Amino acid sequence: MPGIYLHIPFCRQACSYCDFHFSVNLEKKTTLVNAICKEIELRKDYLEDRKLSSIYFGGGTPSVLNVEELNKILYTIGEYFEIEKNAEVTFELNPEDADPVYLRAIRSAGVNRLSIGIQSFDEDELKWMNRAHTAQQSVDCVKNARAAGFTNISVDLIYGSRFQSEKTWRQTLSRVFDLNIQHISSYNLTIEGKNKLSDLFSKKQEPEVDTELSAQLFDALMEEATKAGFEHYEISNFCRPGFMAVHNSNYWRGEQYLGLGPSAHSYNGFARSFNVKSNTKYIQAIENGKGFSEEEVLTELDKYNEYVLTRLRTNWGCDLVEIAELFGHKFKEYFRKNLYLHEQYLERKGNIITLNQKGKHFADGIASDLFLTSEATE
Ligand code: SF4
C-alpha cells in the first residue's frame, strides 16, 4: 500500500556531514507548512484513491514543527486521503527536542513511531558532527518517548568516523540495546555534497573515511545486532521481530509514494517526480499552483535496475519469478546468467537471490554489475 513522505526542510543548525536539503532560517516555517498543506490538496489524486499505509515526517528536522503545525498537516492529509486504521506514522526527532510535553502531544496527534537522530554517544564526536544535543539528551529522549507512550522507536547511528574504534563502536551499540528500542538505522559516514566536512576534506584538514575500519565496524554492527535479537532486513536497517519500517519497506518493494515539500521525491509506478530543492521557489510555485516539480518517466530498463538495486539490499532479495513477471523473460535470463559474476557473495534459495554476509559489504557494486544497459538489450 502507498505512503506519504513529508520533507520538513528546517534544522536548528547544520550538521557537518549532512547533504540533505534544509535551511537553518526558520522564519518561513509557517508559510512552508501552509504550502505543504496546499500541495496535499493539489496532489490528492496522485495515489489514485488508494489507502495510505504510512505517513513519514522526514527532513530536515520535523521536530522543529510545533504541535499545531503537525496537527494541521495531519488533518489536511486526512481530508484528502484515506488512511489505513493502523497506518504507521513516523516522525524524525532530534534528541534536543524531546520535551515530555511535546512528546505526549505528538503521540496524541497520531504519531506512532519515532526515528531519533542519536548518531553517537561520544561527546567529542557529537561536537565534531555539530549535533545540537549531548549523549545524555539522547538517553533521556528515548526514556521520555517511552513514557509518552511510544512503543515503536528507531534510532539513527553513524559509523566510520575517525573518533571510533571497533571497541568504542561495540560500546555504543551496547548502550543502544540497553535503551530497549525496536529499530536501528545505521549509516557509514560519507564525505560528499556541500557541507563542512567536504569543505575540510577538500582543504586536506580532514582525512578520508577509513574504508577498512568502516568494514570492521559494519561487521561488528551485524554481529552485535544479531546477538541482541535484531533482524538485519536491509543493509542499513535492523529491527526486532515485527518492527520492520512499513514506510521504507514499501519503498524497497517498489510501492507508490507521494513526497511533499521542497526536494521531496514521488513515485507513482511509472514515473518519478522531484520537487524543487529551494524553500523560496517551492513556496512561490505552490502559491501559483504550478511548476514545483519535474518528472522523469521510467523505462522498463530503469525499473529493472531499480528493482535489482533496492531488492538486493533487503533480506527478501531478488525473485527470479517476479523479475520474469514484472519485466519479462529476457530480463530474468540476463539477471540469472550474470549471477556468476559475484557467486561468492550471493545465496540462492529456490528463486530467491540474496546477499550473504560478505556480500552485504558490496551491495551497490554487486547490483550495478547486474544492471541492464540499453546495449545489452539489443
Ligand atoms: S543531519 Fe538531520 S539535523 Fe543534521 S543538518 Fe542534516 S537534516 Fe538537519
Side-chain angles (χ1 to χ4, degrees):
M1 281 201 190
I4 281 185
Y5 170 81
L6 299 120
H7 191 83
I8 309 300
F10 298 103
C11 295
R12 300 195 196 283
Q13 58 192 56
C15 300
S16 61
Y17 55 88
C18 181
D19 189 30
F20 294 130
H21 168 67
F22 66 91
S23 165
V24 290
N25 179 350
L26 273 63
E27 266 172 31
K28 290 189 183 143
K29 184 161 67 95
T30 308
T31 318
L32 196 119
V33 167
N34 291 337
I36 286 180
C37 290
K38 180 80 180 150
E39 190 187 358
I40 294 169
E41 183 187 347
L42 290 170
R43 302 183 80 187
K44 64 183 189 304
D45 299 323
Y46 188 83
L47 300 171
E48 297 167 334
D49 287 338
R50 294 181 61 207
K51 270 191 184 178
L52 301 177
S53 62
S54 73
I55 298 172
Y56 191 103
F57 287 84
T61 307
S63 49
V64 300
L65 294 177
N66 61 40
V67 180
E68 290 72 34
E69 289 163 339
L70 170 65
N71 271 322
K72 182 171 181 170
I73 293 172
L74 285 172
Y75 176 82
T76 313
I77 293 174
E79 263 195 305
Y80 294 102
F81 291 86
E82 206 177 334
I83 305 170
E84 276 263 291
K85 195 164 164 269
N86 297 318
E88 177 189 273
V89 183
T90 303
F91 193 78
E92 289 181 358
L93 178 99
N94 276 348
E96 65 273 18
D97 296 323
D99 170 67
V101 176
Y102 183 70
L103 285 165
R104 279 198 299 276
I106 63 171
R107 181 72 192 92
S108 301
V111 174
N112 54 25
R113 182 172 183 271
L114 287 181
S115 172
I116 303 174
I118 286 181
Q119 315 308 356
S120 166
F121 282 123
D122 178 322
E123 299 297 352
D124 290 334
E125 190 179 21
L126 286 169
K127 279 191 197 114
W128 173 76
M129 289 175 170
N130 200 34
R131 298 290 298 177
H133 58 89
T134 61
Q136 188 56 46
Q137 279 176 302
S138 294
V139 174
D140 294 343
C141 175
V142 176
K143 286 185 184 155
N144 290 342
R146 245 201 319 273
F150 286 98
T151 53
N152 190 352
I153 299 173
S154 178
V155 301
D156 279 2
L157 298 173
I158 292 179
Y159 64 90
S161 90
R162 61 182 166 84
F163 289 80
Q164 290 171 336
S165 65
E166 191 177 324
K167 187 174 167 208
T168 61
W169 176 233
R170 285 186 195 268
Q171 285 165 351
T172 297
L173 293 171
S174 165
R175 279 186 82 175
V176 167
F177 301 140
D178 285 347
L179 294 173
N180 193 17
I181 41 93
Q182 287 68 40
H183 190 281
I184 299 168
S185 296
S186 187
Y187 301 94
N188 190 190
L189 178 72
T190 50
I191 302 181
E192 60 187 16
K194 266 177 88 177
N195 52 45
K196 189 175 167 206
L197 201 53
S198 297
D199 193 35
L200 290 172
F201 177 70
S202 65
K203 291 178 188 153
K204 302 203 181 323
Q205 290 168 3
E206 269 298 329
E208 267 184 74
V209 175
D210 179 342
T211 50
E212 225 168 276
L213 173 68
S214 290
Q216 263 177 33
L217 301 183
F218 184 47
D219 276 332
L221 169 65
M222 291 192 276
E223 188 191 316
E224 295 292 346
T226 308
K227 260 202 279 176
F230 284 76
E231 289 170 16
H232 189 188
Y233 72 103
E234 197 268 349
I235 296 291
S236 308
N237 289 278
F238 302 79
C239 67
R240 294 211 178 273
F243 287 94
M244 219 180 259
V246 173
H247 187 82
N248 294 355
S249 299
N250 281 347
Y251 168 72
W252 298 317
R253 287 183 202 278
E255 255 297 356
Q256 299 177 350
Y257 59 91
L258 171 61
L260 303 158
S263 83
H265 298 179
S266 306
Y267 177 61
N268 61 4
F270 61 90
R272 274 191 203 292
S273 63
F274 308 89
N275 281 3
V276 62
K277 217 174 168 178
S278 147
N279 293 0
T280 308
K281 285 184 186 158
Y282 171 80
I283 290 167
Q284 281 168 357
I286 291 284
E287 281 169 359
N288 297 330
K290 56 184 176 187
F292 54 85
S293 69
E294 283 182 6
E295 192 175 82
E296 179 194 346
V297 176
L298 300 182
T299 62
E300 283 306 282
L301 214 65
D302 295 331
K303 287 190 205 169
Y304 161 83
N305 290 342
E306 283 195 8
Y307 174 97
V308 174
L309 183 68
T310 50
R311 288 301 189 89
L312 216 47
R313 292 178 61 92
T314 67
N315 68 354
W316 50 92
C318 293
D319 180 342
L320 288 169
V321 174
E322 196 176 31
I323 293 176
E325 279 169 9
L326 291 171
F327 311 106
H329 185 70
K330 193 168 69 180
F331 285 79
K332 183 201 102 177
E333 278 307 296
Y334 178 84
F335 180 82
R336 192 186 60 75
K337 279 186 188 158
N338 284 288
L339 290 175
Y340 79 92
L341 288 170
H342 293 294
E343 221 171 348
Q344 73 274 34
Y345 297 129
L346 298 168
E347 270 173 20
R348 181 167 176 174
K349 280 195 190 124
N351 295 312
I352 310 292
I353 318 295
T354 52
L355 294 172
N356 62 22
Q357 206 77 345
K358 272 192 183 160
K360 286 176 181 166
H361 285 268
F362 312 109
D364 294 348
I366 294 171
S368 70
D369 286 341
L370 295 166
F371 284 175
L372 239 166
T373 60
S374 50
E375 296 91 65
T377 58
E378 281 159 10

